[in-house]
Amino acid sequence: MTATKEIPYKIYLEEHEMPKQWYNVRADMKNKPAPLLDPKTKKPMSAEELEKVFCKEMVKQELDDTTPYIDIPQEIRDFYKMYRPAPLVRAYCLEEKLQTPAKIYYKHEGNNTSGSHKLNSAIAQAFYAKQQGLKGVTTETGAGQWGTALAMACSYFELDCNVYMVKCSYEQKPHRREVMRTYGATVTPSPSMTTEIGKQINEQFPGTTGSLGCAISEAVESATGKEGYRYTLGSVLSQVLLHQTIVGLETKAALDKYDITPDIVIGCAGGGSNLGGLISPFAGEMLRGEKDYQLIAVEPASCPTLTRGKFAYDYCDTGKVCPLQKMYTLGSGFIPSSTHAGGLRYHGMSSIVSQLYHDGIMEARSVEQTEVFAAAVEFAKVEGILPAPESSHAIKVAIDEALKCKETGEEKTIVFCLTGTGYFDMYAYERFNNGEMGDYIPTEEELAHGFASLPEIK
Amino acid sequence: MTATKEIPYKIYLEEHEMPKQWYNVRADMKNKPAPLLDPKTKKPMSAEELEKVFCKEMVKQELDDTTPYIDIPQEIRDFYKMYRPAPLVRAYCLEEKLQTPAKIYYKHEGNNTSGSHKLNSAIAQAFYAKQQGLKGVTTETGAGQWGTALAMACSYFELDCNVYMVKCSYEQKPHRREVMRTYGATVTPSPSMTTEIGKQINEQFPGTTGSLGCAISEAVESATGKEGYRYTLGSVLSQVLLHQTIVGLETKAALDKYDITPDIVIGCAGGGSNLGGLISPFAGEMLRGEKDYQLIAVEPASCPTLTRGKFAYDYCDTGKVCPLQKMYTLGSGFIPSSTHAGGLRYHGMSSIVSQLYHDGIMEARSVEQTEVFAAAVEFAKVEGILPAPESSHAIKVAIDEALKCKETGEEKTIVFCLTGTGYFDMYAYERFNNGEMGDYIPTEEELAHGFASLPEIK
């Protein structure tokens, strides 16, 4: 019989303890992220220029690198109350399985229909679009989490939602597509015949199943060409990372409630928004010289942006229509292999995360696909949650660190973000269960090909 | 701006407030459910006979109709802590959308990887099997929720798990199958060539895609033929309903915490375990003459067990290998049309629920498929959760009752159970979104055909 445990299995904040402001870590950074550049003129973009693409309030948040706390509007807080606070779970069963003296906690962001943390920013972006009196928004989606989250958010505020979904996902993931349609979104396989760029690509590459880069270009073209529409993005930008700080702020509040100080904080890294949101409050304390933590970004070995990329200005999309950003990047011409963690297959990285990494506030590791799925299944069996492939990158490193503690006898406290559930990723699990999954690490030549696509910026 | 609300969006019990005992409503029933009969001799079955099929502790619970409270073993309570307490959610957004003075609450049982309340009994059945020193368990699954829940529970206790999955589901729902396989279960399409009954059926009906009745027969044959194995069932039996009272007990505790007394309590009804578990504590108060509630069972019009069935002894399975039970039934020969709420396509009903209905403690309503999906989509859009088709039957009647309150101005408190999420039901949603879904109500002739299969019992 197990003794009653001091810390509950799940720490929930009370409604009144939920954060009322997002935290803008840029305010505490000595080295601010470099400004966004116009893709044509290569000059810093003004608010006015950005407002043609994004809605006003989002542009304001994107450019604000001095205000430390930004109020979360009541309407967004009300929506947050429907699926938040996300529990901070003590992984007692995983600890026992591993026989580690480490204490493992995970922030479970998958308890909503979008299945991930993406909803935290989607609802904010939809709210500001509504507030501005827009008719609707457009976006692109690859794996489908972001598109689903935006569809849910737009449905709530009764906004029109147009999603360009990479054609191969559209065909391979009909269930994701139907969730979006159920929430009233229009889902168009990309490349489509509804935009100029889509028509061009269809003509140039007949029968192509599309790419994220192409879908972004179509979504931007569609948004900027229609009265009352703006474009939205689910990661990479600083505005998105700002909204995702709700993850880190809740995590920190839950830990503080029980006087727990973590030693290690781990997040998976694709575009960097969940990672940045998770670590922001901890990085802030480090930047202000108050405390020290080990912050770890985990990326796929197949797309090693931080561990093997360059810190340089680059295009955010392969179509080169979005602003340029200074970040760790493999080059917009880098083509990641088709691994199953679709949300982490991105050549670049949030400029905030990139700068923090460059300044030594954070470290990074890369892990291979099959070891990630092995960790995912181990976790699922003892903790009862089937994780998303993306989230499982963080699980893998959390287990690694817990096993190190087993060797050294250290009782470290490890916290990671479980960004989402894997219910729409069963094809990937099937391949793993059947022993059909492989690993892929890009060669130096392949990386060189990607770097060759970097623009020259003076 | 919305004012701060007195009742939080989600009421969570603290860990120490979670129920430590299940409630056995039979102890408070004057008219006890009739005993189970042997399918061959038609005589009441002894514990010894039942123990050949089910594990010992389960038989004890099945036969105990006098002990009001039964301790939940610590090991099960520890597992419950991983995904419970399930939140009792105030549906503020739905209320606003409907512009109703009614207060609507739902118990959200879908926040676990099995996607439904089924895990509440699966973990108990796996625990007792483990305690008895068994090697493993067998079961059947149609839609897949129960099989998934049992696979998770067996994985946790390191028990072997064999699931006979109706062949058409096995082929149409590969994702459900893969979740079970990920949790280490062996999933066999039924009818298979691994059992005598399977071989017979395959020979008799070449190319058949199977039925639940056949899968039950295969699972029972497999369990009773192998040393160290027993059969498990996910609904209908009183032991299962007992475990599901955790749903009702938590609901009542959460309501009591805020001094809320419900007027109406609503559950969907297939085999009756979620409904019975939800209403048990409320029915208990009615049986003891302490309070009065309006308890409503909701079933599909295509399978109207309570509203159009007979109260009689019947076989629980079409293969006629399971014990006979006195219940509301359409006859084991009744073939429900292939609607999308697979979990509610059952010809019979829990004997406890049947007796409570017969004695007027509870009422029943039937609803049609398309109106159920319309309610599901309405709910999903405002409450952010995509519900299972089964659960949406309860949503439909909750909305109906809330709209009645709008007409009369009554501020009734309505509680329903959201048994699960619909993430693996997107094909059904797709048909609804495309306007391809129909309704089906059995004719009197079709019902008569089912009733003709009822056994004669003196």
Side-chain angles (χ1 to χ4, degrees):
Chain A
M1 297 288 158
T2 320
T4 305
K5 305 201 164 81
E6 263 175 64
I7 310 288
Y9 277 62
K10 291 178 290 180
I11 305 177
Y12 279 106
L13 298 178
E14 304 273 326
E15 221 169 66
H16 65 86
E17 296 170 317
M18 286 173 69
K20 294 178 181 62
Q21 299 178 308
W22 294 301
Y23 167 58
N24 185 6
V25 69
R26 288 170 292 178
D28 285 314
M29 290 168 74
K30 218 182 287 174
N31 302 322
K32 309 281 184 194
L36 296 173
L37 303 185
D38 185 288
K40 284 184 190 139
T41 65
K42 311 283 193 296
K43 290 197 175 133
M45 288 186 84
S46 67
E48 207 179 9
E49 287 168 322
L50 286 167
E51 283 167 11
K52 289 175 193 161
V53 180
F54 304 105
C55 79
K56 275 190 183 182
E57 188 64 29
M58 297 300 294
V59 170
K60 196 176 148 201
Q61 293 179 357
E62 189 65 33
L63 298 178
D64 184 347
D65 58 8
T66 54
T67 311
Y69 289 95
I70 293 171
D71 286 343
I72 308 174
Q74 185 66 47
E75 290 84 347
I76 298 174
R77 287 172 52 206
D78 281 345
F79 188 87
Y80 278 170
K81 284 181 202 162
M82 284 208 297
Y83 72 100
R84 309 196 65 82
L88 182 70
V89 188
R90 174 75 182 266
Y92 280 119
C93 298
L94 180 61
E95 291 171 19
E96 201 179 309
K97 175 81 191 303
L98 300 174
Q99 290 287 304
T100 175
K103 294 166 187 66
I104 308 173
Y105 293 86
Y106 57 93
K107 182 74 168 168
H108 184 13
E109 290 286 327
N111 270 347
N112 69 76
T113 291
S114 83
S116 81
H117 65 291
K118 294 284 183 189
L119 197 51
N120 301 332
S121 182
I123 194 63
Q125 297 195 43
F127 169 72
Y128 291 124
K130 185 76 180 179
Q131 198 185 38
Q132 193 176 325
L134 297 177
K135 287 181 204 155
V137 292
T138 73
T139 200
E140 75 291 327
T141 201
Q145 277 99 330
W146 167 248
T148 310
L150 192 67
M152 289 177 69
C154 286
S155 158
Y156 183 78
F157 285 123
E158 299 184 337
L159 275 173
D160 191 24
C161 180
N162 294 315
V163 181
Y164 287 87
M165 187 172 190
V166 178
K167 198 179 269 176
C168 71
S169 289
Y170 183 90
E171 286 163 0
Q172 278 177 12
K173 295 192 162 192
H175 293 184
R176 271 276 176 214
R177 181 188 75 206
E178 281 311 318
V179 180
M180 291 184 259
R181 287 186 66 211
T182 301
Y183 279 95
T186 304
V187 187
T188 308
S190 166
S192 73
M193 297 303 277
T194 67
T195 65
E196 286 312 310
I197 184 93
K199 284 179 200 164
Q200 277 173 30
I201 291 175
N202 270 317
E203 201 167 294
Q204 215 176 333
F205 308 98
T208 176
T209 55
S211 72
L212 202 57
C214 167
I216 294 179
S217 305
E218 284 203 273
V220 172
E221 181 186 324
S222 167
T224 49
K226 265 198 285 191
E227 187 66 26
Y229 282 77
R230 290 295 184 281
Y231 171 67
T232 63
L233 193 61
S235 190
V236 185
L237 295 174
S238 299
Q239 54 187 265
V240 182
L241 190 145
L242 175 73
H243 306 149
Q244 295 298 354
T245 60
I246 188 85
V247 176
L249 293 165
E250 276 188 12
T251 299
K252 193 151 189 326
L255 291 168
D256 287 348
K257 198 169 170 175
Y258 285 87
D259 286 323
I260 304 162
T261 304
D263 297 290
I264 306 174
V265 182
I266 303 166
C268 63
S273 73
N274 106 77
L275 172 75
L278 173 70
I279 66 169
S280 274
F282 303 99
E285 290 186 315
M286 291 171 78
L287 290 164
R288 296 191 301 269
E290 295 163 6
K291 274 191 185 166
D292 202 22
Y293 304 99
Q294 188 179 8
L295 309 179
I296 309 176
V298 190
E299 59 186 15
S302 59
C303 192
T305 313
L306 290 169
T307 51
R308 295 174 74 193
K310 289 192 174 161
F311 190 46
Y313 261 110
D314 194 12
Y315 299 100
C316 290
D317 60 319
T318 34
K320 305 183 181 178
V321 294
C322 286
L324 286 134
Q325 184 168 282
K326 192 173 179 192
M327 58 185 174
Y328 276 85
T329 178
L330 297 165
S332 64
F334 176 79
I335 300 159
S337 69
S338 61
T339 57
H340 294 289
L344 306 184
R345 288 179 64 220
Y346 183 67
H347 69 278
M349 182 61 64
S350 141
S351 62
I352 295 175
V353 168
S354 294
Q355 190 67 50
L356 290 172
Y357 178 59
H358 195 68
D359 293 345
I361 297 293
M362 194 189 80
E363 60 187 91
R365 295 198 198 153
S366 74
V367 289
E368 293 183 35
Q369 179 165 249
T370 50
E371 60 181 2
V372 164
F373 272 82
V377 172
E378 186 170 14
F379 178 84
K381 286 188 174 176
V382 291
E383 289 291 321
I385 298 166
L386 191 83
E390 291 84 356
S391 322
S392 305
H393 285 67
I395 295 175
K396 165 65 183 150
V397 169
I399 290 178
D400 285 349
E401 290 298 319
L403 291 176
K404 276 187 210 164
C405 288
K406 188 177 175 178
E407 277 182 33
T408 62
E410 288 174 290
E411 293 185 22
K412 284 186 180 173
T413 295
I414 300 167
V415 176
F416 71 90
C417 182
L418 187 77
T419 50
T421 49
Y423 307 145
F424 292 95
D425 297 288
M426 293 320 298
Y427 174 65
Y429 276 96
E430 182 175 0
R431 293 205 60 188
F432 179 75
N433 293 336
N434 292 344
E436 294 162 358
M437 186 177 280
D439 287 317
Y440 185 73
I441 300 176
T443 62
E444 290 303 325
E445 287 71 28
E446 285 165 322
L447 290 187
H449 175 80
F451 294 142
S453 69
L454 287 172
E456 280 192 41
I457 308 287
K458 276 167 250 171
Chain B
M1 295 286 161
T2 320
T4 306
K5 306 202 163 77
E6 261 176 64
I7 310 288
Y9 277 62
K10 291 179 289 182
I11 305 177
Y12 278 107
L13 298 178
E14 303 273 324
E15 221 169 66
H16 66 86
E17 295 170 319
M18 286 172 69
K20 295 178 181 60
Q21 299 179 307
W22 293 301
Y23 167 59
N24 186 4
V25 70
R26 287 170 293 177
D28 285 313
M29 290 168 74
K30 219 183 285 175
N31 302 322
K32 309 280 185 194
L36 296 173
L37 302 185
D38 184 289
K40 283 181 190 140
T41 65
K42 311 283 192 300
K43 289 196 177 135
M45 288 186 83
S46 67
E48 207 178 10
E49 287 168 322
L50 286 167
E51 284 168 10
K52 289 175 193 160
V53 180
F54 303 105
C55 80
K56 274 190 184 183
E57 188 63 28
M58 298 299 295
V59 171
K60 197 177 147 201
Q61 293 179 358
E62 189 66 32
L63 298 177
D64 184 347
D65 58 8
T66 54
T67 312
Y69 288 95
I70 293 171
D71 286 343
I72 308 174
Q74 184 67 46
E75 290 85 347
I76 298 174
R77 287 172 51 207
D78 281 346
F79 188 88
Y80 278 169
K81 285 180 202 162
M82 285 208 297
Y83 71 101
R84 309 197 66 81
L88 182 71
V89 187
R90 174 75 183 266
Y92 280 119
C93 298
L94 181 61
E95 290 171 18
E96 201 178 308
K97 174 81 192 301
L98 299 174
Q99 289 288 305
T100 174
K103 294 167 187 67
I104 309 173
Y105 293 85
Y106 58 92
K107 181 75 169 166
H108 182 14
E109 290 286 327
N111 269 347
N112 69 75
T113 290
S114 83
S116 82
H117 66 290
K118 294 283 183 189
L119 197 52
N120 301 331
S121 183
I123 194 64
Q125 298 196 42
F127 170 72
Y128 291 124
K130 184 77 179 178
Q131 197 185 39
Q132 194 176 325
L134 297 177
K135 288 181 205 153
V137 292
T138 73
T139 200
E140 76 291 327
T141 201
Q145 276 99 330
W146 167 247
T148 310
L150 193 68
M152 288 177 69
C154 286
S155 159
Y156 183 78
F157 286 123
E158 298 184 339
L159 275 173
D160 191 24
C161 180
N162 293 316
V163 181
Y164 288 88
M165 187 170 189
V166 178
K167 197 179 272 177
C168 69
S169 289
Y170 183 90
E171 285 162 1
Q172 279 177 11
K173 295 191 162 193
H175 293 184
R176 271 278 176 212
R177 180 188 77 207
E178 282 310 318
V179 179
M180 290 184 257
R181 287 186 67 213
T182 301
Y183 279 95
T186 304
V187 187
T188 308
S190 167
S192 73
M193 298 303 278
T194 68
T195 64
E196 287 312 311
I197 183 92
K199 284 178 199 163
Q200 276 172 33
I201 290 175
N202 270 317
E203 201 167 293
Q204 216 175 331
F205 309 98
T208 175
T209 53
S211 71
L212 202 58
C214 167
I216 295 179
S217 305
E218 283 203 273
V220 172
E221 181 186 324
S222 167
T224 51
K226 264 197 286 190
E227 186 68 25
Y229 282 77
R230 290 295 184 281
Y231 170 67
T232 62
L233 194 61
S235 189
V236 184
L237 295 174
S238 299
Q239 52 187 270
V240 181
L241 190 146
L242 176 73
H243 306 148
Q244 296 298 355
T245 60
I246 188 85
V247 176
L249 292 165
E250 277 188 11
T251 300
K252 191 149 190 328
L255 291 169
D256 287 348
K257 200 169 168 175
Y258 286 87
D259 288 322
I260 304 161
T261 303
D263 298 288
I264 307 174
V265 182
I266 303 166
C268 63
S273 72
N274 107 77
L275 171 75
L278 171 70
I279 67 169
S280 272
F282 302 99
E285 289 186 317
M286 291 171 76
L287 290 163
R288 296 190 302 269
E290 296 164 5
K291 275 191 186 166
D292 202 24
Y293 304 100
Q294 188 179 7
L295 309 178
I296 308 175
V298 190
E299 59 186 16
S302 58
C303 191
T305 313
L306 291 168
T307 50
R308 296 175 73 192
K310 290 194 173 160
F311 190 46
Y313 263 110
D314 194 11
Y315 300 100
C316 290
D317 59 320
T318 35
K320 304 183 182 180
V321 294
C322 286
L324 287 134
Q325 184 168 281
K326 192 171 179 196
M327 57 185 176
Y328 276 85
T329 177
L330 297 165
S332 65
F334 176 78
I335 300 159
S337 68
S338 62
T339 57
H340 293 290
L344 306 183
R345 289 179 63 220
Y346 184 66
H347 69 278
M349 182 61 63
S350 143
S351 62
I352 296 175
V353 168
S354 294
Q355 191 66 51
L356 289 173
Y357 178 59
H358 195 67
D359 293 345
I361 298 292
M362 193 188 80
E363 60 187 91
R365 296 200 197 153
S366 74
V367 288
E368 294 183 35
Q369 179 165 251
T370 49
E371 60 181 2
V372 164
F373 272 82
V377 172
E378 185 169 16
F379 178 83
K381 286 188 175 177
V382 290
E383 289 291 321
I385 298 166
L386 191 83
E390 292 84 356
S391 322
S392 306
H393 286 68
I395 295 176
K396 165 65 184 151
V397 170
I399 290 177
D400 285 349
E401 290 298 319
L403 291 176
K404 277 188 208 163
C405 289
K406 186 177 175 177
E407 277 182 32
T408 62
E410 288 174 288
E411 294 187 20
K412 284 187 181 173
T413 295
I414 301 167
V415 176
F416 70 91
C417 182
L418 187 77
T419 50
T421 50
Y423 308 146
F424 292 95
D425 297 287
M426 293 319 299
Y427 174 64
Y429 275 96
E430 182 175 0
R431 293 205 60 189
F432 178 75
N433 293 337
N434 292 343
E436 294 162 358
M437 187 178 279
D439 287 316
Y440 185 74
I441 301 176
T443 61
E444 290 303 324
E445 288 70 28
E446 285 165 321
L447 291 185
H449 174 81
F451 295 141
S453 69
L454 287 172
E456 280 191 41
I457 308 288
K458 276 166 252 173

